[in-house]
Amino acid sequence: MVKYLLKEMRVHHYIKNLLVYMALACSGEIFKIEKLIPSSLIFVAFCFTSSIVYIINDIKDVEKDRKHPTKCNRPIAAGKISIKCAVYVCVILFVFASLCCLKSRCLIASVLLFLYLCLNIAYSMGLKNVPILDVAILVSGFLIRLICGALAADIVVSNWLYLTVLSLAFYLAL
């Protein structure tokens, strides 16, 4: 069961959340524990939140995924995890993500993380089918990660870093 839950949570996609550390790494302060701890809490919160988004998307698309040649192997579509169980997992992940945000003591980053969640749920509910808006939401997710990490570490993001992340995000989204 744990194997299927981890597969459903798309743990292998957590690498995208390392962007939370980018401002900290570029500032040269990555080894300052007082900055690393809140950034790490936000990183964990992003990991849990992105898993919530994947699970919600799979619940919404379960019937369509069952007919797809590869998506039919996803745990919810394959019947390895019930929708009820998936909803419980989402609630638990949301609680833990919220606790990480509270522990980070960065209210603005917490609000932005909630915005990230709402945007991505809206994306899963149909905005992914709206041209241009779909790309804008994907790009905003990368920028929100960068900004949240910088806020948690109390670091100002340089214009060059914004430009680099924005360019990379558009490249990946397109």
Side-chain angles (χ1 to χ4, degrees):
M1 177 70 149
V2 172
K3 176 176 98 171
Y4 296 120
L5 283 173
L6 292 174
K7 184 176 179 185
E8 183 60 38
M9 290 169 61
R10 314 275 211 296
V11 174
H12 61 282
H13 284 280
Y14 286 1
I15 193 165
K16 293 181 240 178
N17 297 322
L18 289 173
L19 196 53
V20 164
Y21 295 110
M22 188 59 71
L24 188 56
C26 291
S27 74
E29 298 186 48
I30 190 115
F31 296 111
K32 289 190 176 178
I33 197 77
E34 68 274 6
K35 294 186 180 277
L36 189 58
I37 289 174
S39 295
S40 296
L41 288 164
I42 293 296
F43 169 78
V44 172
F46 260 102
C47 290
F48 291 158
T49 303
S50 60
S51 287
I52 293 168
V53 171
Y54 289 124
I55 293 168
I56 289 171
N57 183 66
D58 286 357
I59 290 170
K60 185 196 176 294
D61 291 345
V62 67
E63 292 305 320
K64 190 168 67 170
D65 287 353
R66 285 183 177 147
K67 298 172 188 167
H68 192 274
T70 55
K71 292 180 182 180
C72 66
N73 296 319
R74 290 180 177 170
I76 293 174
K80 304 291 184 188
I81 297 174
S82 70
I83 291 176
K84 184 178 179 180
C85 176
V87 170
Y88 286 138
V89 169
C90 283
V91 170
I92 291 166
L93 290 172
F94 184 78
V95 168
F96 280 112
S98 299
L99 289 173
C100 287
C101 286
L102 287 172
K103 191 75 173 157
S104 78
R105 297 181 183 211
C106 187
L107 179 62
I108 299 170
S110 302
V111 170
L112 283 174
L113 184 66
F114 187 71
L115 173 65
Y116 169 87
L117 177 63
C118 293
L119 277 172
N120 280 283
I121 289 173
Y123 178 87
S124 293
M125 294 301 153
L127 293 181
K128 63 184 170 185
N129 301 316
V130 179
I132 307 298
L133 193 52
D134 63 335
V135 173
I137 291 172
L138 292 173
V139 169
S140 71
F142 287 101
L143 285 175
I144 291 171
R145 286 177 179 96
L146 173 68
I147 294 166
C148 284
L151 287 168
D154 194 27
I155 293 191
V156 177
V157 179
S158 74
N159 291 335
W160 287 106
L161 186 53
Y162 276 124
L163 183 61
T164 301
V165 170
L166 191 63
S167 299
L168 179 63
F170 269 111
Y171 174 76
L172 293 172
L174 293 170

